[in-house]
Amino acid sequence: MVQRATRSFASQKNTLTRPISLLAGLGAALVLSACGGGGGDTTPPPPPPPVDTPELMVTMGLPGPDVPSGYSQTVATVKVSNVGKAAATSTDVSISADALLERFQVSACKSDSTATTCPSLGTRMTISNLAPGAALTFDVSGTVKLGTSGPVNVSAEASTNTGTNLSSSKQSVGFKAYTNDVSIKLDGPTASVPAGGSFQYVVTVANSGPDAAKRVSLTLNQISSKTPVLGAMTCVAAGGAECPSSLNDKAMGVLLLPKDGSLVFTLPYTFNPGETAGIIFAGKVEALGDADTRNDSASLITP
């Protein structure tokens, strides 16, 4: 009887502890689920590799910091580059300038890649295939309106929409346009020179502005049946001007003639003994950006 009671008690104990074990196991499962364990790998997948796309870059340059007015020339260069890793299948390019730049045009194009060719030239262009790493360089030319003294701006923009990628770039540059008014004046004998006599011509070159004149050229010419002998030629500068390093009675160049600056050249002559003749003495001054050419030439007749 005692043994049967013991077995009955053990059976009842096992029956009572079984629900407790089940609850403990369920709790552990819930803990593992909450911690991310026990249910497989839930790490998100890696992102897809980046897609190669074109990337445009526009840069601009100037031949010089300032440009003379009234003179046709290249005033800017525009470089359109693809610095991305995919070709830009269609690239629109637009180039514009201030109204002060007359006869404005894109005059030339150069490609640095055999895979990319220049488009038909114009202020609006479409590049059919701008390869990765390729660049096109355009020359922009025109004539700054004569008399302009001040800034002139040129702008360029390029854009492409290849696939789902839109790339664009824009830049603007400005240069200083300058204007001057150079002039020449001649003084000399107005009466006949006696045989073997001495005389002189005085040449005055001036600039009334509004800006400095650069790379001024002076040409002198003397016509006579008897050639007089030239003595020591001199130059006197005023108003910030500088005399040429070498004086010549035929032609000279002046790098810079400031506004209100002047140069006075004196040319002393002497006829050989027993000789005299009438003389036509002429001079001409030239400078880019000269707004008034009516005072650029002068002549003097010595009877």
Side-chain angles (χ1 to χ4, degrees):
M1 293 296 290
V2 175
Q3 292 178 354
R4 185 178 299 170
T6 301
R7 285 195 298 270
S8 177
F9 177 77
S11 177
Q12 291 177 4
K13 180 179 179 182
N14 290 337
T15 302
L16 291 173
T17 58
R18 188 176 296 117
I20 296 174
S21 299
L22 290 175
L23 289 174
L26 179 60
L30 291 174
V31 171
L32 287 173
S33 177
C35 293
D41 188 5
T42 60
T43 303
V51 178
D52 291 339
T53 59
E55 183 178 350
L56 301 182
M57 182 173 64
V58 173
T59 55
M60 300 181 67
L62 299 172
D66 44 20
V67 172
S69 68
Y71 179 67
S72 179
Q73 63 207 292
T74 298
V75 296
T77 58
V78 177
K79 186 176 182 180
V80 180
S81 308
N82 181 4
V83 297
K85 296 183 178 181
T89 56
S90 180
T91 302
D92 294 326
V93 180
S94 175
I95 303 175
S96 59
D98 291 347
L100 292 171
L101 186 61
E102 301 174 328
R103 294 181 285 280
F104 159 65
Q105 63 176 336
V106 177
S107 55
C109 172
K110 182 180 180 181
S111 174
D112 66 357
S113 171
T114 56
T116 299
T117 59
C118 290
S120 298
L121 299 183
T123 56
R124 292 183 178 272
M125 300 169 285
T126 299
I127 305 171
S128 59
N129 181 68
L130 187 58
L136 296 178
T137 302
F138 302 93
D139 288 342
V140 179
S141 62
T143 303
V144 177
K145 184 178 180 181
L146 184 63
T148 300
S149 175
V152 179
N153 298 303
V154 180
S155 300
E157 183 175 9
S159 61
T160 183
N161 194 346
T162 300
T164 59
N165 180 74
L166 173 64
S167 178
S168 64
S169 181
K170 183 177 182 180
Q171 191 181 24
S172 180
V173 296
F175 58 85
K176 167 70 168 58
Y178 67 87
T179 292
N180 54 71
D181 182 13
V182 297
S183 62
I184 186 172
K185 179 185 176 184
L186 302 181
D187 292 294
T190 56
S192 299
V193 179
S198 298
F199 60 98
Q200 66 179 22
Y201 288 111
V202 178
V203 180
T204 303
V205 177
N207 173 28
S208 59
D211 301 307
K214 303 178 181 182
R215 296 179 295 278
V216 181
S217 65
L218 173 63
T219 304
L220 301 174
N221 187 31
Q222 182 187 123
I223 301 175
S224 177
S225 59
K226 303 293 183 179
T227 304
V229 177
L230 176 64
M233 185 175 173
T234 61
C235 172
V236 176
E242 293 185 7
C243 291
S245 57
S246 178
L247 302 182
N248 190 297
D249 66 335
K250 303 298 182 184
M252 288 177 287
V254 179
L255 293 178
L256 182 68
L257 187 59
K259 176 184 181 299
D260 298 327
S262 64
L263 298 172
V264 179
F265 302 93
T266 301
L267 293 80
Y269 289 96
T270 301
F271 276 112
N272 290 321
E275 292 184 348
T276 188
I279 302 173
I280 299 177
F281 189 80
K284 183 177 182 179
V285 64
E286 294 178 285
L288 297 179
D290 190 355
D292 186 359
T293 59
R294 295 172 299 178
N295 53 10
D296 291 357
S297 300
S299 61
L300 188 66
I301 298 178
T302 299

